[in-house]
Short mmCIF file of all heavy atoms in Angstrom, two decimals:
data_model
loop_
_atom_site.label_atom_id
_atom_site.label_comp_id
_atom_site.label_asym_id
_atom_site.label_seq_id
_atom_site.Cartn_x
_atom_site.Cartn_y
_atom_site.Cartn_z
N MET A 167 41.90 -83.33 15.01
CA MET A 167 42.25 -84.19 13.88
C MET A 167 42.43 -85.62 14.37
O MET A 167 42.97 -85.88 15.43
CB MET A 167 43.56 -83.68 13.24
CG MET A 167 44.02 -84.58 12.10
SD MET A 167 45.67 -84.13 11.51
CE MET A 167 45.39 -82.47 10.94
N SER A 168 41.95 -86.55 13.60
CA SER A 168 42.09 -87.96 13.93
C SER A 168 43.53 -88.40 13.76
O SER A 168 44.29 -87.87 12.96
CB SER A 168 41.19 -88.78 13.01
OG SER A 168 41.53 -90.14 13.09
N GLY A 169 43.91 -89.45 14.50
CA GLY A 169 45.24 -90.03 14.32
C GLY A 169 45.29 -90.98 13.15
O GLY A 169 46.37 -91.45 12.78
N GLY A 170 44.17 -91.29 12.53
CA GLY A 170 44.13 -92.18 11.38
C GLY A 170 43.02 -93.19 11.53
O GLY A 170 42.29 -93.20 12.53
N TYR A 171 42.88 -94.04 10.51
CA TYR A 171 41.83 -95.05 10.48
C TYR A 171 42.44 -96.37 10.04
O TYR A 171 43.10 -96.43 9.00
CB TYR A 171 40.72 -94.63 9.51
CG TYR A 171 40.08 -93.32 9.89
CD1 TYR A 171 40.54 -92.12 9.37
CD2 TYR A 171 39.03 -93.30 10.81
CE1 TYR A 171 39.98 -90.91 9.74
CE2 TYR A 171 38.46 -92.09 11.19
CZ TYR A 171 38.93 -90.90 10.65
OH TYR A 171 38.37 -89.73 11.03
N ARG A 172 42.23 -97.42 10.83
CA ARG A 172 42.81 -98.72 10.53
C ARG A 172 41.76 -99.63 9.89
O ARG A 172 40.65 -99.74 10.40
CB ARG A 172 43.34 -99.38 11.80
CG ARG A 172 44.52 -98.63 12.40
CD ARG A 172 44.86 -99.16 13.77
NE ARG A 172 45.36 -100.53 13.73
CZ ARG A 172 46.63 -100.85 13.63
NH1 ARG A 172 47.55 -99.91 13.57
NH2 ARG A 172 47.02 -102.11 13.59
N PHE A 173 42.15 -100.27 8.78
CA PHE A 173 41.32 -101.27 8.12
C PHE A 173 42.13 -102.55 8.03
O PHE A 173 43.32 -102.58 8.39
CB PHE A 173 40.90 -100.78 6.73
CG PHE A 173 40.08 -99.52 6.78
CD1 PHE A 173 40.70 -98.27 6.63
CD2 PHE A 173 38.72 -99.55 7.01
CE1 PHE A 173 39.96 -97.11 6.69
CE2 PHE A 173 37.97 -98.40 7.08
CZ PHE A 173 38.59 -97.17 6.93
N ALA A 174 41.51 -103.63 7.52
CA ALA A 174 42.19 -104.93 7.52
C ALA A 174 43.49 -104.90 6.74
O ALA A 174 44.51 -105.42 7.20
CB ALA A 174 41.25 -106.00 6.94
N ARG A 175 43.48 -104.33 5.54
CA ARG A 175 44.67 -104.40 4.67
C ARG A 175 45.49 -103.13 4.62
O ARG A 175 46.61 -103.13 4.13
CB ARG A 175 44.25 -104.80 3.25
CG ARG A 175 43.73 -106.23 3.17
CD ARG A 175 43.41 -106.59 1.76
NE ARG A 175 42.25 -105.85 1.30
CZ ARG A 175 41.95 -105.65 0.03
NH1 ARG A 175 42.72 -106.12 -0.90
NH2 ARG A 175 40.88 -104.96 -0.31
N PHE A 176 44.93 -102.02 5.09
CA PHE A 176 45.69 -100.77 5.06
C PHE A 176 45.18 -99.84 6.14
O PHE A 176 44.16 -100.10 6.79
CB PHE A 176 45.61 -100.09 3.68
CG PHE A 176 44.22 -99.63 3.31
CD1 PHE A 176 43.77 -98.38 3.68
CD2 PHE A 176 43.38 -100.45 2.58
CE1 PHE A 176 42.50 -97.95 3.34
CE2 PHE A 176 42.10 -100.03 2.24
CZ PHE A 176 41.66 -98.79 2.62
N GLN A 177 45.91 -98.77 6.35
CA GLN A 177 45.44 -97.73 7.24
C GLN A 177 45.52 -96.39 6.52
O GLN A 177 46.33 -96.20 5.62
CB GLN A 177 46.24 -97.71 8.53
CG GLN A 177 47.73 -97.53 8.37
CD GLN A 177 48.46 -97.74 9.68
OE1 GLN A 177 47.86 -97.95 10.72
NE2 GLN A 177 49.78 -97.66 9.62
N LEU A 178 44.64 -95.50 6.94
CA LEU A 178 44.65 -94.15 6.41
C LEU A 178 45.32 -93.27 7.45
O LEU A 178 44.89 -93.22 8.61
CB LEU A 178 43.22 -93.66 6.16
CG LEU A 178 42.54 -94.24 4.94
CD1 LEU A 178 41.06 -93.87 4.94
CD2 LEU A 178 43.20 -93.73 3.67
N VAL A 179 46.36 -92.57 7.02
CA VAL A 179 47.17 -91.77 7.92
C VAL A 179 47.14 -90.32 7.47
O VAL A 179 47.32 -90.04 6.27
CB VAL A 179 48.63 -92.29 7.93
CG1 VAL A 179 49.49 -91.48 8.86
CG2 VAL A 179 48.65 -93.77 8.30
N PRO A 180 46.91 -89.39 8.39
CA PRO A 180 46.97 -87.97 7.98
C PRO A 180 48.32 -87.66 7.34
O PRO A 180 49.35 -88.14 7.81
CB PRO A 180 46.80 -87.21 9.30
CG PRO A 180 46.16 -88.17 10.23
CD PRO A 180 46.65 -89.54 9.81
N THR A 181 48.30 -86.91 6.27
CA THR A 181 49.54 -86.64 5.56
C THR A 181 49.74 -85.13 5.40
O THR A 181 48.84 -84.34 5.68
CB THR A 181 49.52 -87.32 4.17
OG1 THR A 181 50.80 -87.16 3.57
CG2 THR A 181 48.47 -86.72 3.28
N VAL A 182 50.92 -84.78 4.97
CA VAL A 182 51.23 -83.37 4.76
C VAL A 182 50.42 -82.88 3.57
O VAL A 182 50.34 -83.53 2.54
CB VAL A 182 52.74 -83.19 4.46
CG1 VAL A 182 53.04 -81.74 4.12
CG2 VAL A 182 53.55 -83.65 5.65
N GLY A 183 49.80 -81.75 3.73
CA GLY A 183 49.02 -81.18 2.64
C GLY A 183 48.15 -80.07 3.17
O GLY A 183 47.94 -79.94 4.37
N GLN A 184 47.65 -79.30 2.26
CA GLN A 184 46.85 -78.14 2.63
C GLN A 184 45.48 -78.58 3.13
O GLN A 184 44.81 -79.39 2.50
CB GLN A 184 46.69 -77.22 1.41
CG GLN A 184 45.99 -75.92 1.72
CD GLN A 184 46.79 -75.06 2.67
OE1 GLN A 184 47.96 -74.80 2.45
NE2 GLN A 184 46.15 -74.64 3.74
N LEU A 185 45.07 -78.07 4.27
CA LEU A 185 43.69 -78.26 4.71
C LEU A 185 42.78 -77.51 3.74
O LEU A 185 43.18 -76.51 3.14
CB LEU A 185 43.48 -77.72 6.12
CG LEU A 185 44.26 -78.40 7.24
CD1 LEU A 185 43.93 -77.73 8.57
CD2 LEU A 185 43.93 -79.88 7.30
N VAL A 186 41.57 -77.99 3.59
CA VAL A 186 40.59 -77.34 2.73
C VAL A 186 39.39 -76.94 3.59
O VAL A 186 38.91 -77.75 4.39
CB VAL A 186 40.13 -78.28 1.59
CG1 VAL A 186 38.99 -77.65 0.81
CG2 VAL A 186 41.29 -78.58 0.67
N PHE A 187 38.96 -75.72 3.45
CA PHE A 187 37.81 -75.21 4.21
C PHE A 187 36.72 -74.78 3.25
O PHE A 187 36.99 -74.29 2.15
CB PHE A 187 38.22 -73.98 5.05
CG PHE A 187 39.17 -74.29 6.15
CD1 PHE A 187 40.54 -74.29 5.91
CD2 PHE A 187 38.72 -74.58 7.42
CE1 PHE A 187 41.44 -74.58 6.93
CE2 PHE A 187 39.61 -74.87 8.44
CZ PHE A 187 40.97 -74.87 8.20
N ARG A 188 35.47 -74.96 3.69
CA ARG A 188 34.31 -74.46 2.94
C ARG A 188 33.24 -74.06 3.95
O ARG A 188 33.19 -74.60 5.05
CB ARG A 188 33.71 -75.52 2.02
CG ARG A 188 34.65 -76.02 0.97
CD ARG A 188 33.98 -76.97 0.02
NE ARG A 188 33.27 -76.22 -1.02
CZ ARG A 188 32.75 -76.78 -2.10
NH1 ARG A 188 32.83 -78.08 -2.26
NH2 ARG A 188 32.16 -76.05 -3.01
N ALA A 189 32.40 -73.13 3.55
CA ALA A 189 31.22 -72.78 4.34
C ALA A 189 30.00 -73.36 3.65
O ALA A 189 29.95 -73.42 2.42
CB ALA A 189 31.08 -71.27 4.45
N ARG A 190 29.03 -73.82 4.44
CA ARG A 190 27.79 -74.34 3.87
C ARG A 190 26.61 -73.72 4.58
O ARG A 190 26.58 -73.64 5.81
CB ARG A 190 27.73 -75.85 4.02
CG ARG A 190 26.48 -76.43 3.35
CD ARG A 190 26.43 -77.93 3.42
NE ARG A 190 26.12 -78.34 4.78
CZ ARG A 190 26.23 -79.60 5.23
NH1 ARG A 190 26.69 -80.54 4.45
NH2 ARG A 190 25.93 -79.89 6.47
N CYS A 191 25.64 -73.28 3.80
CA CYS A 191 24.38 -72.80 4.35
C CYS A 191 23.56 -74.00 4.77
O CYS A 191 23.32 -74.92 3.97
CB CYS A 191 23.64 -71.97 3.30
SG CYS A 191 22.00 -71.45 3.85
N GLU A 192 23.13 -74.02 6.03
CA GLU A 192 22.36 -75.15 6.53
C GLU A 192 20.88 -75.05 6.14
O GLU A 192 20.12 -75.99 6.35
CB GLU A 192 22.49 -75.23 8.05
CG GLU A 192 23.89 -75.59 8.52
CD GLU A 192 24.24 -77.05 8.26
OE1 GLU A 192 23.88 -77.89 9.09
OE2 GLU A 192 24.87 -77.32 7.21
N VAL A 193 20.47 -73.93 5.56
CA VAL A 193 19.08 -73.77 5.13
C VAL A 193 18.89 -74.34 3.72
O VAL A 193 18.01 -75.16 3.48
CB VAL A 193 18.66 -72.29 5.18
CG1 VAL A 193 17.24 -72.11 4.67
CG2 VAL A 193 18.80 -71.75 6.61
N CYS A 194 19.76 -73.93 2.76
CA CYS A 194 19.58 -74.37 1.37
C CYS A 194 20.68 -75.31 0.91
O CYS A 194 20.63 -75.80 -0.22
CB CYS A 194 19.52 -73.15 0.44
SG CYS A 194 21.08 -72.28 0.24
N GLU A 195 21.68 -75.56 1.74
CA GLU A 195 22.78 -76.48 1.47
C GLU A 195 23.74 -76.00 0.39
O GLU A 195 24.59 -76.74 -0.07
CB GLU A 195 22.28 -77.89 1.17
CG GLU A 195 21.51 -78.49 2.34
CD GLU A 195 21.12 -79.94 2.12
OE1 GLU A 195 21.28 -80.44 1.00
OE2 GLU A 195 20.67 -80.56 3.10
N GLU A 196 23.60 -74.73 -0.06
CA GLU A 196 24.58 -74.18 -0.99
C GLU A 196 25.92 -74.07 -0.27
O GLU A 196 25.97 -73.82 0.94
CB GLU A 196 24.12 -72.81 -1.49
CG GLU A 196 25.01 -72.25 -2.59
CD GLU A 196 24.46 -70.96 -3.19
OE1 GLU A 196 23.23 -70.74 -3.13
OE2 GLU A 196 25.26 -70.18 -3.70
N MET A 197 27.02 -74.27 -1.03
CA MET A 197 28.34 -74.23 -0.43
C MET A 197 29.20 -73.15 -1.09
O MET A 197 29.09 -72.91 -2.29
CB MET A 197 29.05 -75.58 -0.58
CG MET A 197 28.36 -76.68 0.22
SD MET A 197 29.11 -78.30 -0.01
CE MET A 197 30.70 -78.02 0.71
N GLY A 198 30.07 -72.56 -0.28
CA GLY A 198 31.02 -71.59 -0.79
C GLY A 198 32.20 -72.29 -1.45
O GLY A 198 32.28 -73.52 -1.47
N PRO A 199 33.15 -71.52 -1.95
CA PRO A 199 34.31 -72.10 -2.65
C PRO A 199 35.26 -72.79 -1.69
O PRO A 199 35.28 -72.53 -0.48
CB PRO A 199 34.96 -70.88 -3.30
CG PRO A 199 34.57 -69.74 -2.43
CD PRO A 199 33.19 -70.05 -1.93
N ARG A 200 36.09 -73.69 -2.24
CA ARG A 200 37.15 -74.35 -1.47
C ARG A 200 38.29 -73.34 -1.29
O ARG A 200 38.78 -72.78 -2.28
CB ARG A 200 37.69 -75.56 -2.24
CG ARG A 200 36.70 -76.69 -2.40
CD ARG A 200 37.15 -77.66 -3.48
NE ARG A 200 38.51 -78.10 -3.30
CZ ARG A 200 38.87 -79.33 -2.93
NH1 ARG A 200 37.95 -80.24 -2.75
NH2 ARG A 200 40.13 -79.65 -2.77
N VAL A 201 38.67 -73.10 -0.05
CA VAL A 201 39.73 -72.14 0.23
C VAL A 201 40.65 -72.70 1.31
O VAL A 201 40.42 -73.79 1.83
CB VAL A 201 39.14 -70.78 0.68
CG1 VAL A 201 38.37 -70.12 -0.47
CG2 VAL A 201 38.23 -70.97 1.88
N GLU A 202 41.71 -71.96 1.65
CA GLU A 202 42.76 -72.49 2.51
C GLU A 202 42.64 -72.11 3.98
O GLU A 202 43.42 -72.61 4.79
CB GLU A 202 44.13 -72.06 1.96
CG GLU A 202 44.41 -72.65 0.59
CD GLU A 202 45.81 -72.31 0.08
OE1 GLU A 202 46.53 -71.55 0.75
OE2 GLU A 202 46.17 -72.83 -1.00
N THR A 203 41.70 -71.23 4.33
CA THR A 203 41.53 -70.86 5.74
C THR A 203 40.05 -70.78 6.08
O THR A 203 39.20 -70.54 5.21
CB THR A 203 42.16 -69.49 6.07
OG1 THR A 203 41.43 -68.47 5.39
CG2 THR A 203 43.63 -69.43 5.67
N GLY A 204 39.76 -70.95 7.37
CA GLY A 204 38.38 -70.81 7.82
C GLY A 204 37.87 -69.40 7.63
O GLY A 204 36.70 -69.19 7.27
N ASP A 205 38.72 -68.41 7.88
CA ASP A 205 38.31 -67.02 7.69
C ASP A 205 37.86 -66.76 6.26
O ASP A 205 36.84 -66.12 6.01
CB ASP A 205 39.45 -66.06 8.04
CG ASP A 205 39.67 -65.93 9.54
OD1 ASP A 205 38.78 -66.35 10.31
OD2 ASP A 205 40.73 -65.43 9.94
N ALA A 206 38.66 -67.25 5.30
CA ALA A 206 38.31 -67.05 3.89
C ALA A 206 37.02 -67.79 3.56
O ALA A 206 36.18 -67.28 2.81
CB ALA A 206 39.46 -67.54 3.00
N ALA A 207 36.84 -68.98 4.12
CA ALA A 207 35.63 -69.75 3.84
C ALA A 207 34.40 -69.01 4.31
O ALA A 207 33.39 -68.94 3.60
CB ALA A 207 35.72 -71.12 4.51
N MET A 208 34.47 -68.45 5.52
CA MET A 208 33.28 -67.85 6.10
C MET A 208 32.97 -66.48 5.51
O MET A 208 31.87 -65.96 5.71
CB MET A 208 33.42 -67.77 7.62
CG MET A 208 33.58 -69.16 8.27
SD MET A 208 32.42 -70.41 7.67
CE MET A 208 31.06 -70.17 8.79
N MET A 209 33.88 -65.87 4.74
CA MET A 209 33.56 -64.63 4.02
C MET A 209 32.41 -64.85 3.04
O MET A 209 31.63 -63.94 2.75
CB MET A 209 34.79 -64.09 3.27
CG MET A 209 35.72 -63.26 4.12
SD MET A 209 34.90 -61.84 4.89
CE MET A 209 34.41 -60.91 3.43
N TRP A 210 32.30 -66.06 2.51
CA TRP A 210 31.21 -66.38 1.58
C TRP A 210 29.86 -66.14 2.24
O TRP A 210 28.88 -65.77 1.57
CB TRP A 210 31.36 -67.83 1.11
CG TRP A 210 30.19 -68.31 0.31
CD1 TRP A 210 29.96 -68.09 -1.02
CD2 TRP A 210 29.09 -69.08 0.79
NE1 TRP A 210 28.77 -68.68 -1.39
CE2 TRP A 210 28.22 -69.30 -0.29
CE3 TRP A 210 28.76 -69.61 2.04
CZ2 TRP A 210 27.04 -70.01 -0.17
CZ3 TRP A 210 27.58 -70.32 2.15
CH2 TRP A 210 26.74 -70.52 1.06
N VAL A 211 29.78 -66.34 3.57
CA VAL A 211 28.52 -66.17 4.29
C VAL A 211 28.01 -64.74 4.14
O VAL A 211 26.79 -64.51 4.03
CB VAL A 211 28.69 -66.54 5.79
CG1 VAL A 211 27.43 -66.19 6.58
CG2 VAL A 211 29.04 -68.02 5.94
N VAL A 212 28.92 -63.77 4.13
CA VAL A 212 28.51 -62.36 4.00
C VAL A 212 27.68 -62.17 2.74
O VAL A 212 26.59 -61.58 2.77
CB VAL A 212 29.75 -61.43 3.96
CG1 VAL A 212 29.34 -59.99 3.69
CG2 VAL A 212 30.54 -61.55 5.26
N PHE A 213 28.17 -62.69 1.63
CA PHE A 213 27.48 -62.51 0.35
C PHE A 213 26.20 -63.34 0.29
O PHE A 213 25.18 -62.89 -0.23
CB PHE A 213 28.42 -62.86 -0.80
CG PHE A 213 29.69 -62.06 -0.76
CD1 PHE A 213 30.89 -62.65 -0.39
CD2 PHE A 213 29.69 -60.71 -1.07
CE1 PHE A 213 32.06 -61.92 -0.33
CE2 PHE A 213 30.86 -59.96 -1.02
CZ PHE A 213 32.05 -60.57 -0.65
N HIS A 214 26.27 -64.55 0.81
CA HIS A 214 25.09 -65.43 0.76
C HIS A 214 23.97 -64.85 1.62
O HIS A 214 22.81 -64.84 1.22
CB HIS A 214 25.47 -66.84 1.22
CG HIS A 214 24.36 -67.83 1.01
ND1 HIS A 214 24.05 -68.33 -0.24
CD2 HIS A 214 23.49 -68.39 1.88
CE1 HIS A 214 23.02 -69.17 -0.11
NE2 HIS A 214 22.67 -69.23 1.17
N TRP A 215 24.33 -64.36 2.80
CA TRP A 215 23.31 -63.81 3.69
C TRP A 215 22.69 -62.54 3.11
O TRP A 215 21.49 -62.29 3.26
CB TRP A 215 23.92 -63.53 5.07
CG TRP A 215 22.91 -62.92 6.01
CD1 TRP A 215 21.93 -63.57 6.70
CD2 TRP A 215 22.77 -61.54 6.32
NE1 TRP A 215 21.19 -62.67 7.43
CE2 TRP A 215 21.70 -61.41 7.21
CE3 TRP A 215 23.46 -60.38 5.93
CZ2 TRP A 215 21.29 -60.18 7.72
CZ3 TRP A 215 23.05 -59.16 6.44
CH2 TRP A 215 21.99 -59.07 7.32
N GLU A 216 23.50 -61.71 2.41
CA GLU A 216 22.94 -60.51 1.79
C GLU A 216 21.89 -60.88 0.75
O GLU A 216 20.89 -60.18 0.60
CB GLU A 216 24.05 -59.67 1.15
CG GLU A 216 24.91 -58.94 2.18
CD GLU A 216 26.05 -58.17 1.55
OE1 GLU A 216 26.35 -58.38 0.35
OE2 GLU A 216 26.68 -57.38 2.27
N ASP A 217 22.10 -61.98 0.02
CA ASP A 217 21.13 -62.43 -0.99
C ASP A 217 19.96 -63.17 -0.36
O ASP A 217 18.88 -63.22 -0.95
CB ASP A 217 21.82 -63.35 -2.00
CG ASP A 217 22.82 -62.60 -2.88
OD1 ASP A 217 22.71 -61.36 -2.98
OD2 ASP A 217 23.71 -63.26 -3.46
N HIS A 218 20.19 -63.78 0.82
CA HIS A 218 19.15 -64.61 1.46
C HIS A 218 19.13 -64.29 2.96
O HIS A 218 19.63 -65.07 3.78
CB HIS A 218 19.45 -66.10 1.26
CG HIS A 218 19.71 -66.47 -0.17
ND1 HIS A 218 18.70 -66.68 -1.07
CD2 HIS A 218 20.87 -66.67 -0.85
CE1 HIS A 218 19.22 -66.99 -2.25
NE2 HIS A 218 20.53 -66.99 -2.14
N PRO A 219 18.54 -63.14 3.34
CA PRO A 219 18.58 -62.71 4.76
C PRO A 219 17.91 -63.69 5.72
O PRO A 219 18.18 -63.64 6.92
CB PRO A 219 17.84 -61.37 4.75
CG PRO A 219 17.83 -60.92 3.34
CD PRO A 219 17.90 -62.14 2.49
N ASP A 220 17.06 -64.58 5.20
CA ASP A 220 16.40 -65.54 6.08
C ASP A 220 17.24 -66.81 6.27
O ASP A 220 16.86 -67.70 7.02
CB ASP A 220 15.02 -65.90 5.55
CG ASP A 220 15.05 -66.43 4.12
OD1 ASP A 220 15.94 -65.99 3.34
OD2 ASP A 220 14.20 -67.26 3.77
N HIS A 221 18.40 -66.89 5.61
CA HIS A 221 19.30 -68.04 5.79
C HIS A 221 20.31 -67.66 6.87
O HIS A 221 21.27 -66.94 6.62
CB HIS A 221 20.02 -68.39 4.48
CG HIS A 221 19.08 -68.88 3.43
ND1 HIS A 221 19.52 -69.45 2.25
CD2 HIS A 221 17.72 -68.88 3.38
CE1 HIS A 221 18.46 -69.79 1.52
NE2 HIS A 221 17.36 -69.44 2.18
N THR A 222 20.08 -68.14 8.07
CA THR A 222 20.85 -67.66 9.22
C THR A 222 21.64 -68.75 9.94
O THR A 222 22.22 -68.51 11.00
CB THR A 222 19.92 -66.97 10.23
OG1 THR A 222 18.91 -67.89 10.62
CG2 THR A 222 19.30 -65.71 9.63
N VAL A 223 21.70 -69.96 9.38
CA VAL A 223 22.46 -71.04 10.02
C VAL A 223 23.49 -71.56 9.03
O VAL A 223 23.15 -71.94 7.90
CB VAL A 223 21.53 -72.19 10.48
CG1 VAL A 223 22.35 -73.28 11.17
CG2 VAL A 223 20.45 -71.66 11.40
N TYR A 224 24.76 -71.59 9.45
CA TYR A 224 25.86 -71.97 8.57
C TYR A 224 26.76 -72.98 9.26
O TYR A 224 26.74 -73.10 10.50
CB TYR A 224 26.68 -70.74 8.17
CG TYR A 224 25.87 -69.79 7.32
CD1 TYR A 224 25.08 -68.80 7.91
CD2 TYR A 224 25.85 -69.91 5.94
CE1 TYR A 224 24.30 -67.96 7.14
CE2 TYR A 224 25.08 -69.07 5.16
CZ TYR A 224 24.31 -68.09 5.76
OH TYR A 224 23.53 -67.28 5.00
N ARG A 225 27.54 -73.68 8.46
CA ARG A 225 28.49 -74.64 9.00
C ARG A 225 29.84 -74.42 8.33
O ARG A 225 29.91 -74.21 7.11
CB ARG A 225 28.01 -76.07 8.74
CG ARG A 225 28.89 -77.15 9.35
CD ARG A 225 28.27 -78.51 9.13
NE ARG A 225 26.98 -78.64 9.77
CZ ARG A 225 26.79 -79.08 11.02
NH1 ARG A 225 27.84 -79.47 11.73
NH2 ARG A 225 25.59 -79.17 11.54
N GLU A 226 30.90 -74.47 9.13
CA GLU A 226 32.26 -74.45 8.58
C GLU A 226 32.71 -75.89 8.40
O GLU A 226 32.68 -76.67 9.35
CB GLU A 226 33.22 -73.73 9.52
CG GLU A 226 34.65 -73.70 8.99
CD GLU A 226 35.62 -73.15 10.04
OE1 GLU A 226 35.74 -71.93 10.14
OE2 GLU A 226 36.23 -73.97 10.75
N LEU A 227 33.10 -76.24 7.19
CA LEU A 227 33.59 -77.58 6.90
C LEU A 227 35.10 -77.51 6.69
O LEU A 227 35.59 -76.61 6.02
CB LEU A 227 32.94 -78.13 5.63
CG LEU A 227 31.41 -78.09 5.59
CD1 LEU A 227 30.91 -78.52 4.20
CD2 LEU A 227 30.83 -78.97 6.66
N SER A 228 35.83 -78.44 7.26
CA SER A 228 37.26 -78.51 6.99
C SER A 228 37.62 -79.96 6.69
O SER A 228 37.00 -80.88 7.21
CB SER A 228 38.08 -77.99 8.18
OG SER A 228 37.90 -78.80 9.31
N SER A 229 38.58 -80.15 5.83
CA SER A 229 38.98 -81.51 5.46
C SER A 229 40.48 -81.65 5.54
O SER A 229 41.24 -80.71 5.32
CB SER A 229 38.47 -81.86 4.06
OG SER A 229 39.05 -81.02 3.11
N THR A 230 40.90 -82.85 5.89
CA THR A 230 42.30 -83.19 6.12
C THR A 230 42.73 -84.22 5.07
O THR A 230 42.00 -85.20 4.85
CB THR A 230 42.47 -83.80 7.52
OG1 THR A 230 41.94 -82.88 8.47
CG2 THR A 230 43.92 -84.09 7.82
N PRO A 231 43.89 -84.05 4.43
CA PRO A 231 44.35 -85.06 3.48
C PRO A 231 44.88 -86.30 4.20
O PRO A 231 45.52 -86.19 5.24
CB PRO A 231 45.47 -84.34 2.71
CG PRO A 231 45.96 -83.29 3.65
CD PRO A 231 44.79 -82.90 4.50
N TYR A 232 44.59 -87.46 3.62
CA TYR A 232 45.06 -88.75 4.16
C TYR A 232 45.76 -89.52 3.05
O TYR A 232 45.48 -89.35 1.88
CB TYR A 232 43.89 -89.59 4.66
CG TYR A 232 43.36 -89.15 6.00
CD1 TYR A 232 42.46 -88.11 6.10
CD2 TYR A 232 43.77 -89.78 7.16
CE1 TYR A 232 41.97 -87.70 7.32
CE2 TYR A 232 43.28 -89.39 8.40
CZ TYR A 232 42.39 -88.35 8.47
OH TYR A 232 41.91 -87.95 9.68
N VAL A 233 46.67 -90.43 3.46
CA VAL A 233 47.34 -91.31 2.52
C VAL A 233 47.15 -92.75 2.98
O VAL A 233 47.07 -93.02 4.18
CB VAL A 233 48.85 -90.94 2.41
CG1 VAL A 233 49.58 -91.16 3.73
CG2 VAL A 233 49.51 -91.72 1.29
N VAL A 234 47.04 -93.67 2.02
CA VAL A 234 46.91 -95.10 2.31
C VAL A 234 48.29 -95.69 2.58
O VAL A 234 49.21 -95.49 1.82
CB VAL A 234 46.27 -95.85 1.12
CG1 VAL A 234 46.35 -97.36 1.33
CG2 VAL A 234 44.84 -95.40 0.93
N GLU A 235 48.41 -96.39 3.72
CA GLU A 235 49.63 -97.13 4.02
C GLU A 235 49.24 -98.59 4.19
O GLU A 235 48.40 -98.92 5.03
CB GLU A 235 50.29 -96.60 5.30
CG GLU A 235 50.90 -95.22 5.12
CD GLU A 235 51.67 -94.76 6.35
OE1 GLU A 235 51.64 -95.47 7.39
OE2 GLU A 235 52.28 -93.69 6.27
N LEU A 236 49.84 -99.47 3.37
CA LEU A 236 49.53 -100.90 3.44
C LEU A 236 50.01 -101.47 4.76
O LEU A 236 51.06 -101.07 5.28
CB LEU A 236 50.19 -101.64 2.28
CG LEU A 236 49.65 -101.29 0.90
CD1 LEU A 236 50.45 -102.02 -0.17
CD2 LEU A 236 48.16 -101.61 0.78
N ARG A 237 49.24 -102.43 5.31
CA ARG A 237 49.62 -103.10 6.54
C ARG A 237 50.21 -104.45 6.18
O ARG A 237 49.74 -105.12 5.27
CB ARG A 237 48.40 -103.28 7.45
CG ARG A 237 47.80 -101.96 7.85
CD ARG A 237 46.58 -102.15 8.72
NE ARG A 237 46.95 -102.82 9.96
CZ ARG A 237 46.08 -103.26 10.87
NH1 ARG A 237 44.80 -103.10 10.64
NH2 ARG A 237 46.48 -103.84 11.96
N SER A 238 51.23 -104.88 6.90
CA SER A 238 51.86 -106.17 6.59
C SER A 238 51.29 -107.27 7.46
O SER A 238 50.53 -107.03 8.36
CB SER A 238 53.37 -106.08 6.78
OG SER A 238 53.67 -105.56 8.07
ZN1 ZN B 659 21.24 -70.57 1.87
#
């Protein structure tokens, strides 16, 4: 996780909040639902692969909440 991002007038700081995970098929770019764990996200791959056995490359996406803090 990044420590944050500094800009001229404000900085983005990681904040308390639920991480969001999703799985994405790298073949057709379809994405699974937004869920709270990587394990839950990657369960979508089971169903997607059963429907598309030739789709064999996936990516786990995770996102972190940030808050804007003004710089003085
Ligand atoms: Zn696919």
Side-chain angles (χ1 to χ4, degrees):
M167 177 188 298
S168 166
Y171 300 93
R172 294 170 67 91
F173 299 95
R175 292 183 291 159
F176 65 87
Q177 58 189 356
L178 285 170
V179 180
T181 187
V182 175
Q184 186 65 52
L185 296 180
V186 173
F187 293 87
R188 299 185 83 170
R190 184 177 73 192
C191 175
E192 293 287 277
V193 177
C194 70
E195 299 186 350
E196 187 173 335
M197 294 176 66
R200 293 164 51 109
V201 293
E202 296 184 355
T203 67
D205 285 345
M208 299 314 271
M209 276 303 297
W210 172 82
V211 172
V212 174
F213 304 107
H214 188 75
W215 178 79
E216 286 177 347
D217 291 340
H218 309 280
D220 56 329
H221 295 191
T222 57
V223 181
Y224 294 88
R225 184 175 298 270
E226 179 188 277
L227 307 174
S228 64
S229 63
T230 305
Y232 282 83
V233 64
V234 170
E235 290 186 354
L236 294 176
R237 299 179 63 188
S238 52

